[in-house]
Amino acid sequence: LCPSLPGVANALAAYEIVSAAATAANSWRAVLGIRPGAAATPDVVKKQFRRLSLLVHPDKNRSCAAAEDAFKLLRQAFDDALLAAPSSGSADDTTGPCAAAAAARDGEA
Amino acid sequence: MHLVTLPFPLLLPPSTPLSPLHPTFYSREHCLPKLLPVLISTRKKRQQQQGPPKSHLLVPVTPSQLADSCWLSVSFATFYWMAAEPFYTVASDSETTGEDKSQPSFPDVAIGIDIGTSKCSVAVWNGHHVELLKNTRNQKGMRSYVMFKDDTLSAGVTGGAAKENAHEERDVLSGSAIFNMKRLIGRMDTDEVVQASKALPFLVQTLGIGVRPFIAALVNNMWRSTTPEEVLAIFLLELKALAEMHLKHPVRNAVLTIPVAFSRFQQTRIERACAMAGLHVLRLMPEPTAVALLYAQHQQQLMHDNMGSGIEKIALIFNMGAGYCDAAVAATAGGVSQIRALSGCSVGGEDILQNIMRHLVPNFDSLYAGQTMDRIKSMGLLRIATQDAIHKLASQDSVEINVDLGDGQKVSKVLDHSEFEQVNRVIFEKVEKIINQCLADAKLVPEDINDVILVGGCSRIPRIRSLVLGLCKTEVSYKNIDALEAAVSGAALEGAIASGVTDPEGSLDLLTIQATPMNLGIRADGDNFAAIIPRNTTVPARREMLFMTTHDNQTEALISVYEGEGERAEENHLLGYFKITGIPPAPKGTVEISVCMDIDASNVLRVFAGVVKPQGQGVPPFIEVRMPTLDDGHGWCGQALAKMYGSKLDLAVHPKKLQP
């Protein structure tokens, strides 16, 4: 696989994220590895995001371009997931016309 | 769209570190590590020789490199004799440039460097934990200065090396040493921080026209010119030598901490200084984010020890040193620390010191207007006394200051907390502002904060502590972090992680997910600033925005890239500009132009721009520009462009869609 991805796990995670993102427009569940039907609470989303970040963040992959793109897709999915997630009473501003921009600026809240 | 680089195949070749776009490509670092020690060691020899021997330049340097003003601004004559010296006179450690190719065995772990305004430190990951390196005087935090004495240069890392000529604080303040370079680097002479630096003992000359200030150190009663980059490079070279001595192998990569308030242009100056010292910058981390990484490590260890549940913890990190003050909010769990908000400003201990000095000597500015020898000496005495008093005030209720400044000037005063706080009121207000901004940007209320981490020298000032803790509605700060060693330890951790070091026990399964400290965007809708990547966006990031033409049959458009917080473009920092030409003629508003900004993992900013509607063969290709492109004159370039073109090349934000 990619010589600059240090481990098979990293490469596989990057591969899965990129292929999941390519399958559908609204693919955050697939990218974050949350099965359809499973609850996507902010806690679950954050946990998956952190787990996958440790695998595909460029810091962990010596600036491999594939990892960088995978991380960008992961981050996008994370924002989308928090927007779609059932409100858990947090300070997340998920309504109104600026929701997308606000979430893009600071997805996690 | 063709802009999106497909991540596949995964079998991309490893990206080469030496692309022509890379700052190290124009490889100062290949000759400078050799030259700087020569410069230092041969200046002495020059006196013994009778003038420069006649010989041709032998160094591998191109004329453009020589012409580059940032390259050591020593006189050409110096360069001439320096080059004539055979290379085997290199007395210092450097270096193994030839050897390290044949010995790839040493682990290429990046070192962590904290270049502080007043103190510097260096740390390495030694395989088990972060180790702070000590100099020959057993110091971990080394005073940041470079002494220009006779024909030798020496930095604060060795502090004058031998005991008999060890530098003392009064030598540093004698005008022969340059310090506070972190406040001066990459700033123009209209900057208020540069103006404030005129109260330093060395020469800071300004013309107030938006060019670099003239900086000089006193050598044998003469002002000898230098640049902040050069001073920093000499300092970094000593730090590098120290690290190499400890590690017993050459050091190439480094992670440096920088203030949040540093502009991208200032970052390029730091990178250039590193390249001059033969260091490749792996990452530049805002100081509080380095502390966040250290905090993530602590939390992970706690979790392992207590079998904790890994609940997300929110930390507010406040860092205030001698030159800058920053705050960050980080959400941490499972070894991953996500930066939610960053804010910072260039206010620090130096401002507190100057306020107190002006308070003690009301006619400070007129008294020290001209830098004569006795005035420099007198100012040095005042500085030492004031510094001492501020340190004592951290533990005492009041302090008595008695200092004879010579020339009939005497200061005799008792300073207490209320007076100290009154004099520095503006500074405390700024601190309050950045904390509140940080909390607001993170969309948090003080009650959400689990831990408040105070780092940096000024966090020891009681009023600052109580102010920050009060704003976060808590009584105590996080205890397990050393205020002066946290940033450098975090940088060393990041150095190990980004160098690809893995630990079988999982103690390096850590990560800081960085965010951008400032808005990045272009000028649009007249003089407005359209932020394409808003501040606190996770990096690496790629954002796109659509613009449209503002005139009928407009064939050219100017893209001026700015960084900052202002609503209007001119209030921000100009990073560079370029034109899109050959736009097909069409009624205004019908041509769509996409501007895409991309920040990669190494924090390099690229701007892509081009016409997306209409499409077809008649459309010019996209342009990719690496920013910043401007080297100087950030203030007046924008004005000159406005004068030349007015609104002829303007763009407006497309109302349809902002970001897919």
Side-chain angles (χ1 to χ4, degrees):
Chain A
L1 286 166
C2 177
S4 37
L5 288 175
V8 176
N10 301 43
L12 272 179
Y15 174 82
E16 274 168 15
I17 285 173
V18 173
S19 52
T23 51
N26 198 2
S27 56
W28 57 265
R29 267 179 189 274
V31 171
L32 288 168
I34 301 171
R35 257 185 255 116
T41 61
D43 279 346
V44 172
V45 169
K46 284 178 190 175
K47 201 174 162 200
Q48 283 299 93
F49 173 66
R50 279 194 291 266
R51 190 181 68 79
L52 291 167
S53 291
L54 274 173
L55 290 169
V56 300
H57 192 279
D59 273 6
K60 294 282 180 193
N61 296 293
R62 303 217 70 173
S63 305
C64 174
E68 201 169 305
D69 287 328
F71 181 75
K72 284 175 188 165
L73 291 168
L74 177 65
R75 171 71 212 197
Q76 187 59 48
F78 175 65
D79 289 341
D80 295 345
L82 284 181
L83 270 181
S87 174
S88 62
S90 71
D92 206 347
D93 176 20
T94 53
T95 53
C98 302
R105 195 174 309 130
D106 186 281
E108 187 184 350
Chain B
M1 181 200 325
H2 56 293
L3 257 186
V4 181
T5 52
L6 275 176
F8 276 98
L10 266 173
L11 317 133
L12 287 170
S15 53
T16 48
L18 286 181
S19 89
L21 290 167
H22 204 272
T24 55
F25 181 75
Y26 306 100
S27 56
R28 278 175 197 86
E29 65 187 299
H30 292 311
C31 28
L32 244 135
K34 296 188 191 84
L35 293 186
L36 262 175
V38 180
L39 168 71
I40 295 166
S41 64
T42 52
R43 279 203 177 189
K44 252 181 194 163
K45 285 184 187 153
R46 185 194 180 191
Q47 281 185 320
Q48 294 151 13
Q49 295 169 355
Q50 295 298 313
K54 279 185 184 156
S55 156
H56 290 291
L57 277 175
L58 297 170
V59 246
V61 170
T62 64
S64 72
Q65 280 173 336
L66 264 182
D68 186 340
S69 63
C70 259
W71 220 91
L72 289 182
S73 58
V74 286
S75 67
F76 188 74
T78 316
F79 195 83
Y80 184 81
W81 59 256
M82 199 170 84
E85 289 272 340
F87 270 132
Y88 54 76
T89 59
V90 175
S92 98
D93 55 286
S94 49
E95 169 156 68
T96 39
T97 3
E99 288 164 40
D100 58 1
K101 283 183 195 97
S102 58
Q103 299 179 338
S105 54
F106 67 84
D108 193 14
V109 181
I111 57 171
I113 299 176
D114 176 26
I115 21 158
T117 310
S118 101
K119 289 207 169 144
C120 289
S121 41
V122 55
V124 291
W125 173 259
N126 67 5
H128 310 282
H129 57 92
V130 169
E131 186 184 351
L132 258 80
L133 305 184
K134 291 176 180 172
N135 66 3
T136 47
R137 295 150 138 221
N138 218 19
Q139 294 165 319
K140 284 180 184 167
M142 294 153 260
R143 185 89 166 84
S144 317
Y145 67 86
V146 168
M147 179 75 80
F148 293 69
K149 211 171 198 174
D150 300 325
D151 275 341
T152 56
L153 301 170
S154 56
V157 178
T158 48
K163 250 190 189 134
E164 59 266 28
N165 47 23
H167 303 148
E168 288 182 28
E169 192 63 18
R170 66 162 188 275
D171 299 320
V172 175
L173 297 176
S174 67
S176 317
I178 305 276
F179 55 95
N180 275 14
M181 49 265 193
K182 197 166 136 196
R183 297 250 290 182
L184 290 164
I185 199 161
R187 285 188 192 273
M188 300 301 138
D189 62 0
T190 40
D191 198 308
E192 58 182 20
V193 175
V194 175
Q195 296 292 336
S197 300
K198 285 170 155 180
L200 296 173
F202 53 90
L203 185 68
V204 179
Q205 206 181 70
T206 60
L207 290 166
I209 57 164
V211 293
R212 311 146 190 263
F214 174 72
I215 292 164
L218 196 60
V219 186
N220 296 332
N221 284 334
M222 290 243 294
W223 290 116
R224 182 185 287 169
S225 83
T226 180
T227 60
E229 290 88 349
E230 183 190 327
V231 172
L232 191 62
I234 294 163
F235 192 88
L236 285 168
L237 203 71
E238 276 200 9
L239 271 185
K240 183 175 174 234
L242 174 74
E244 285 173 345
M245 207 174 72
H246 276 266
L247 296 171
K248 301 189 174 62
H249 63 69
V251 169
R252 200 181 124 68
N253 294 323
V255 172
L256 282 89
T257 58
I258 50 164
V260 173
F262 254 31
S263 71
R264 280 187 173 266
F265 175 66
Q266 285 177 296
Q267 293 176 17
T268 64
R269 300 294 96 177
I270 297 280
E271 276 166 3
R272 187 167 284 193
C274 284
M276 284 162 90
L279 282 171
H280 171 243
V281 178
L282 199 61
R283 294 278 187 278
L284 288 177
M285 296 184 96
E287 278 149 27
T289 69
V291 180
L293 186 60
L294 192 65
Y295 177 74
Q297 188 200 31
H298 282 200
Q299 294 307 311
Q300 197 191 35
Q301 278 169 359
L302 275 180
M303 203 177 83
H304 279 294
D305 295 347
N306 305 343
M307 285 311 196
S309 53
I311 302 165
E312 188 174 69
K313 279 188 137 187
I314 311 276
L316 182 127
I317 299 147
F318 175 78
N319 170 43
M320 189 169 179
Y324 294 89
C325 154
D326 336 273
V329 170
T332 304
V336 178
S337 175
Q338 198 182 355
I339 305 300
R340 298 264 295 264
L342 282 171
S343 61
C345 63
S346 44
V347 154
E350 176 67 29
D351 298 285
I352 295 179
L353 181 73
Q354 288 198 14
N355 284 346
I356 300 287
M357 289 199 314
R358 288 200 162 83
H359 180 65
L360 293 174
V361 184
N363 58 343
F364 182 87
D365 288 307
S366 60
L367 184 67
Y368 296 118
Q371 278 174 309
T372 57
M373 294 298 277
D374 51 343
R375 299 256 169 81
I376 292 171
K377 196 179 166 204
S378 142
M379 187 152 68
L381 291 171
L382 179 64
R383 257 187 108 85
I384 292 173
T386 315
Q387 224 156 28
D388 194 43
I390 294 172
H391 289 166
K392 279 184 181 157
L393 266 182
S395 54
Q396 298 174 8
D397 287 336
S398 66
V399 62
E400 198 180 337
I401 303 163
N402 275 311
V403 56
D404 185 353
L405 300 176
D407 230 6
Q409 278 272 343
K410 269 190 185 168
V411 171
S412 180
K413 196 165 170 48
V414 176
L415 190 70
D416 65 6
H417 278 289
S418 66
E419 205 171 341
F420 175 80
E421 283 158 25
Q422 181 62 29
V423 172
N424 292 303
R425 210 184 57 237
V426 179
I427 288 169
F428 300 134
E429 278 167 7
K430 282 193 180 156
V431 168
E432 199 171 334
K433 206 179 124 202
I434 72 156
I435 301 251
N436 284 335
Q437 193 205 326
C438 206
L439 285 172
D441 283 354
K443 295 194 198 114
L444 293 174
V445 290
E447 286 77 10
D448 295 331
I449 305 286
N450 299 104
D451 281 309
V452 177
I453 306 171
L454 297 172
V455 288
C458 283
S459 67
R460 290 185 174 160
I461 295 173
R463 175 73 190 131
I464 302 256
R465 291 187 79 86
S466 63
L467 180 73
V468 178
L469 293 175
L471 286 170
C472 299
K473 299 202 176 142
T474 176
E475 314 263 287
V476 284
S477 60
Y478 185 71
K479 287 215 171 52
N480 307 325
I481 275 183
D482 184 294
L484 299 180
E485 296 171 5
V488 71
S489 306
L493 271 181
E494 174 74 19
I497 293 164
S499 305
V501 179
T502 47
D503 189 55
E505 288 162 34
S507 63
L508 276 180
D509 286 345
L510 303 168
L511 186 65
T512 305
I513 301 175
Q514 297 281 358
T516 53
M518 275 180 266
N519 293 330
L520 287 163
I522 67 166
R523 179 177 169 275
D525 294 336
D527 275 333
N528 285 341
F529 174 60
I532 296 176
I533 300 186
R535 69 165 184 261
N536 300 323
T537 301
T538 299
V539 277
R542 177 186 280 255
R543 291 287 163 87
E544 189 186 356
M545 211 165 171
L546 280 179
F547 296 86
M548 56 186 188
T549 48
T550 56
H551 299 283
D552 290 336
N553 299 327
Q554 184 177 343
T555 55
E556 294 188 331
L558 182 70
I559 310 281
S560 307
V561 179
Y562 286 88
E563 173 185 60
E565 304 307 312
E567 299 251 310
R568 301 176 63 75
E570 63 195 28
E571 293 161 11
N572 298 309
H573 191 93
L574 181 61
L575 295 178
Y577 42 82
F578 57 93
K579 254 188 341 187
I580 299 175
T581 54
I583 301 172
K588 67 176 176 188
T590 53
V591 176
E592 287 179 16
I593 288 167
S594 156
V595 179
C596 177
M597 291 193 170
D598 182 280
I599 301 174
D600 72 9
S602 320
N603 200 25
V604 172
L605 172 67
R606 286 190 176 82
V607 180
F608 306 85
V611 178
V612 286
K613 194 184 151 194
Q615 284 180 330
Q617 291 298 311
V619 173
F622 264 64
I623 297 182
E624 176 188 335
V625 184
R626 191 189 148 125
M627 293 283 163
T629 55
L630 266 190
D631 220 32
D632 217 332
H634 301 263
W636 39 263
C637 270
Q639 290 165 15
L641 284 170
K643 203 174 156 192
M644 186 82 169
Y645 297 105
S647 65
K648 233 166 51 188
L649 307 181
D650 273 12
L651 287 176
V653 178
H654 199 285
K656 195 168 66 185
K657 44 189 174 177
L658 289 167
Q659 162 75 19

